Amino acid sequence: MDYREVFINYLKKNDLQLTKSREIILDAVFETHSHFEIEELYQMLRYKNKKVSRATVYRTIPYLVEAGLVRRLRYSDQNEQYEHIYGHPNHFHLHCLNCDRVIEQNSPELEKNIEKLAKRLNFKIQDYSVSISGHCSLCEEKETERIDINE
Amino acid sequence: MDYREVFINYLKKNDLQLTKSREIILDAVFETHSHFEIEELYQMLRYKNKKVSRATVYRTIPYLVEAGLVRRLRYSDQNEQYEHIYGHPNHFHLHCLNCDRVIEQNSPELEKNIEKLAKRLNFKIQDYSVSISGHCSLCEEKETERIDINE
DNA sequence: AATGATATTGAGATTTGTTCTCAATTATCT
DNA sequence: AGATAATTGAGAACAAATCTCAATATCATT
Ligand SMILES: [Mn+2]
Ligand SMILES: [Mn+2]
Ligand SMILES: [Zn+2]
Ligand SMILES: [Zn+2]
């Protein structure tokens, strides 16, 4: 099942239609292979002369999230970021507070652990996110160098 | 070391002072044993006639986060929530999308998993959060009942 | 204690991401 | 086709968070 079908199923279930606008947004989301903000996505569509309004973009993204196609990310202090997840293996984010880099990692072990934890509580998972914040290896290296020099 | 000392150390390191306002906010945060929003905290202080401005509360919370005393939570779609973490065992959040309940769980196994993952990447953790969203056992129960009746 | 330099605060203005409004448009049903 | 319902777009409205800047508090020095 491709993302289009998933979305159509979701829309049907919720008495919504697959309109031209929604299709444009859906495709844009799956053409974007990085984390994005809604405003960015909207500007990209304008640039490409695809006619959808900001309001519609803002209205549509939550549908994609609900449909399980897109995930809202929570690692950043700044604006909400999103990423498409359907068809991609789950992964976690490590966010460097120094250089703002985001490292993506997957860990089947961690996944299993989370699922086990949820099962024990009879909690039905829809989505989960692991975000780790701290300092990446590159920044740590620089930091220890700096200390070496100064001392 | 109590939270006060931790904060004083942090402030010193950053050439900041422990002022009356900051002290009031610090204490309020550690008197609040639930997740809170900054505006809520501010209103609570007003109610108690503690004189600090909204701006100062907004300015101070990030210091507490940086000092490792407070964590910003990311489970909700609504406003930012915070909780004090210093002196408390780490725990994870399961957020029910139906009833909005938040279940707190700790799992040393999961913690170890995350730490191992970070170590492998030479990533220095400052904080991490695991948030699971879905449906809690109570809501799931009701849901299956509903289906049983209707079918 | 007085002086000057520096840091902090508070009230309200401002910014900014997001949501809302409602008339116009588009799709669906009979 | 005509009636009914859903969706859209432009801009207004909203609200959380940040910024501004004069007043105040704190600190360091004499
Ligand atoms: Mn990612
Ligand atoms: Mn908690
Ligand atoms: Zn870094
Ligand atoms: Zn529930």
Side-chain angles (χ1 to χ4, degrees):
Chain A
M1 200 156 55
D2 69 347
Y3 63 76
R4 218 164 164 286
E5 285 178 78
V6 175
F7 194 36
I8 289 171
N9 286 348
Y10 168 82
L11 292 171
K12 272 200 189 119
K13 199 180 292 170
N14 292 278
D15 294 308
L16 299 165
Q17 314 166 143
L18 181 65
T19 61
K20 201 76 204 295
S21 297
R22 285 174 184 156
E23 217 173 336
I24 290 171
I25 293 163
L26 175 68
D27 287 335
V29 162
F30 277 88
E31 277 161 23
T32 304
H33 293 286
S34 55
H35 301 169
F36 63 90
E37 295 177 21
I38 294 184
E39 180 68 22
E40 274 172 20
L41 193 77
Y42 169 65
Q43 291 303 338
M44 196 259 276
L45 289 172
R46 303 209 77 201
Y47 179 75
K48 290 194 181 174
N49 269 312
K50 313 258 182 175
K51 287 197 199 60
V52 269
S53 70
R54 179 181 277 118
T56 300
V57 182
Y58 271 100
R59 278 192 281 242
T60 303
I61 298 292
Y63 291 148
L64 298 178
V65 173
E66 266 241 308
L69 293 165
V70 166
R71 168 191 295 153
R72 191 157 84 120
L73 301 172
R74 303 154 191 271
Y75 59 80
S76 169
D77 271 6
Q78 283 112 260
N79 296 351
E80 305 296 347
Q81 308 251 9
Y82 294 83
E83 68 180 356
H84 64 245
I85 49 174
Y86 187 75
H88 293 266
N90 204 347
H91 62 270
F92 309 118
H93 295 104
L94 297 102
H95 177 222
C96 179
L97 297 168
N98 188 247
C99 67
D100 222 42
R101 233 183 297 264
V102 176
I103 298 156
E104 303 188 304
Q105 273 292 310
N106 55 9
S107 159
E109 204 186 337
L110 195 50
E111 276 177 60
K112 247 175 262 150
N113 240 309
I114 288 171
E115 276 153 26
K116 219 171 63 191
L117 189 141
K119 181 158 250 169
R120 204 169 45 225
L121 294 163
N122 287 316
F123 192 93
K124 192 156 175 214
I125 294 180
Q126 179 170 101
D127 188 27
Y128 57 87
S129 74
V130 175
S131 11
I132 304 174
S133 58
H135 292 276
C136 75
S137 57
L138 293 161
C139 288
E140 266 306 297
E141 225 172 90
K142 272 187 216 136
E143 179 63 15
T144 48
E145 266 172 43
R146 202 184 58 69
I147 291 167
D148 287 352
I149 291 165
N150 289 0
E151 285 179 334
Chain B
M1 199 158 52
D2 69 349
Y3 64 75
R4 220 163 162 286
E5 285 178 77
V6 175
F7 194 36
I8 289 171
N9 286 348
Y10 167 83
L11 292 171
K12 273 201 189 119
K13 198 179 295 171
N14 293 277
D15 293 308
L16 298 165
Q17 312 164 160
L18 181 65
T19 60
K20 200 77 204 293
S21 297
R22 286 175 183 155
E23 216 173 338
I24 288 171
I25 294 162
L26 175 69
D27 286 335
V29 162
F30 278 88
E31 276 163 23
T32 305
H33 294 284
S34 55
H35 301 168
F36 63 89
E37 295 176 21
I38 295 184
E39 180 68 22
E40 275 172 20
L41 193 75
Y42 168 63
Q43 291 303 337
M44 196 258 275
L45 289 172
R46 303 208 78 201
Y47 179 75
K48 290 194 181 172
N49 269 313
K50 312 257 183 176
K51 286 196 199 59
V52 268
S53 71
R54 178 182 278 118
T56 299
V57 182
Y58 271 101
R59 278 191 283 243
T60 303
I61 298 292
Y63 292 147
L64 298 179
V65 173
E66 267 242 307
L69 293 166
V70 166
R71 168 190 295 153
R72 191 157 84 118
L73 301 172
R74 303 153 191 273
Y75 60 80
S76 168
D77 270 7
Q78 283 114 259
N79 296 351
E80 305 297 348
Q81 307 251 7
Y82 295 83
E83 67 179 357
H84 63 245
I85 50 174
Y86 187 76
H88 293 267
N90 203 348
H91 61 270
F92 310 118
H93 295 104
L94 297 102
H95 176 222
C96 180
L97 298 168
N98 188 246
C99 68
D100 222 43
R101 233 183 297 262
V102 177
I103 299 155
E104 304 187 302
Q105 273 293 308
N106 54 8
S107 157
E109 205 185 337
L110 198 49
E111 275 177 61
K112 251 177 258 150
N113 240 303
I114 289 170
E115 276 153 27
K116 219 171 64 191
L117 189 141
K119 183 159 248 169
R120 204 168 48 222
L121 295 164
N122 287 314
F123 191 95
K124 193 157 175 213
I125 295 180
Q126 179 170 101
D127 188 28
Y128 57 86
S129 74
V130 175
S131 15
I132 304 175
S133 57
H135 292 276
C136 76
S137 57
L138 293 161
C139 288
E140 266 308 296
E141 223 171 274
K142 270 186 216 137
E143 179 63 14
T144 49
E145 267 173 44
R146 203 185 56 70
I147 291 169
D148 288 351
I149 292 163
N150 288 358
E151 285 178 332

